[in-house]
Amino acid sequence: MVDLKGQYAQIKDQVDKSVLDVIASSAFINGPEVHAFQKELEEYLDVKHVIPCANGTDALQIAMMGLGLKPGDEVITADFTFAATVEVIALLQLTPVLVDVEKDSFNIDPEAIRKAITPKTKAIVPVHLFGQCANMDAIQAIAKEHDLYVIEDNAQAIGASYTFADGSVKKAGAIGHVASTSFFPSKNLGCYGDGGAIFTNDDDLAHKIRGIVNHGMYKRYHHDVVGVNSRLDSIQATVLRVKLPNLDTYNAARQDAARKYNAAFYGNNKIITPHISKSCENPICTGCNCHVFHQYTLRIVDADRDALVQHLNEKGIPCGVYYPIPLHLQKAYKDERYNEADFPITNQLVKEVVSLPMHTELDDDQIEFITKTILDFVNG
Ligand SMILES: *Cc1c(COP(=O)(O)O)cnc(C)c1O
């Protein structure tokens, strides 16, 4: 699904030197590389504060702790996403409220958010799934109207832009009150281990979060709040510093691969290619920078998705089903408050979706082999 070795080969000299320099310096924790990366990412995202941490799941948890959410507060998020989002809500004894998504974009449905709001609702967590922002015009408006926090789970869309209805443009993760991201190796900006970060434009919240990630300490050995230990280490930071200047090029390579996939599948009525919320007239448009294709996800309609997956595996083509089970049906998150009739889209998508290999090193021969194999299969 990803070719991390091929990408490493392109930057090997720089990465090796940077990592060896960190080892020679022995500044493994909170060293100058972490600080420098933080500043560079703030500049790239045009956000006031980046707080690095240990992984994307911690980042979500810490964002919620920073906002002071309390047990019993309701947090609305998407039913069709990776479990990390709902996991941290539950861990903090907040009440997860899962809602359905949009069929086209796979992202949380603003109308479903509206219907789920109660007097206990405190926050909305839109997940920018597969590399494209949720409908932030609508979500920001709902949040404003009901005085709710917006926590963007930006683990899959770093580098994507969002164009508002008024024409203004912001980077994914620089829109809500606070955002989280992950530097897991296979993410669009991945390190060589675990890593994550929290972003915010709110000075007070940033200060609070800087203490939370460091055992609740604002002054050495004074623990003012209950915190956690969540750090990005200097070796990961130095790898990220090498990769960040390439992020736009990496995302452009993903978009280029997506365009070639789109062109190959164009016109086939059993294959629905990824919907781009802000696309132009061009039928294979990948929406400028509004989708950074963390995943390139097809919907297979009127053909057997599971048989296709098996066929691809037999042909040696990696593929993935993200995600095969709606969160509201997962054992850990089942709840009698949920009603099947409220999740028609997620229940449908889990049967239709398949994600194809997507990374920065895909070449034309690979894309041709993958698309031909899929087309031969669905066309019988
Ligand atoms: C990867 C991911 C996370 C978690 O990130 P980790 O660094 O693996 O903890 C959270 N949310 C989404 C949507 C993700 O894709």
Side-chain angles (χ1 to χ4, degrees), residues 316-329:
I317 297 171
C319 64
V321 172
Y322 308 118
Y323 295 91
I325 304 171
L327 287 179
H328 80 275
L329 293 177

Side-chain angles (χ1 to χ4, degrees), residues 71-84:
D73 287 350
E74 293 180 3
V75 179
I76 298 175
T77 194
D79 191 33
F80 186 64
T81 177
F82 182 56

Side-chain angles (χ1 to χ4, degrees), residues 55-57 60 81-82 84-85 127 153 155-156 182 184 187 195 323:
N55 58 68
T57 309
L60 275 168
T81 177
F82 182 56
T85 326
V127 181
D153 181 343
Q156 299 191 2
S182 164
F184 185 79
K187 304 280 158 129
Y323 295 91

Side-chain angles (χ1 to χ4, degrees), residues 147-219:
D147 200 17
L148 307 174
Y149 293 121
V150 173
I151 306 165
E152 299 174 72
D153 181 343
N154 195 30
Q156 299 191 2
I158 196 155
S161 301
Y162 183 83
T163 306
F164 286 86
D166 69 4
S168 62
V169 179
K170 281 190 183 173
K171 282 256 165 46
I175 302 169
H177 292 94
V178 61
S180 61
T181 200
S182 164
F183 305 122
F184 185 79
S186 64
K187 304 280 158 129
N188 290 38
L189 179 62
C191 59
Y192 291 172
D194 273 311
I198 303 137
F199 321 142
T200 184
N201 284 310
D202 178 332
D203 298 341
D204 294 336
L205 181 61
H207 174 73
K208 243 181 123 183
I209 287 174
R210 288 208 175 89
I212 291 172
V213 298
N214 188 27
H215 301 288
M217 274 196 288
Y218 296 90
K219 202 173 134 192

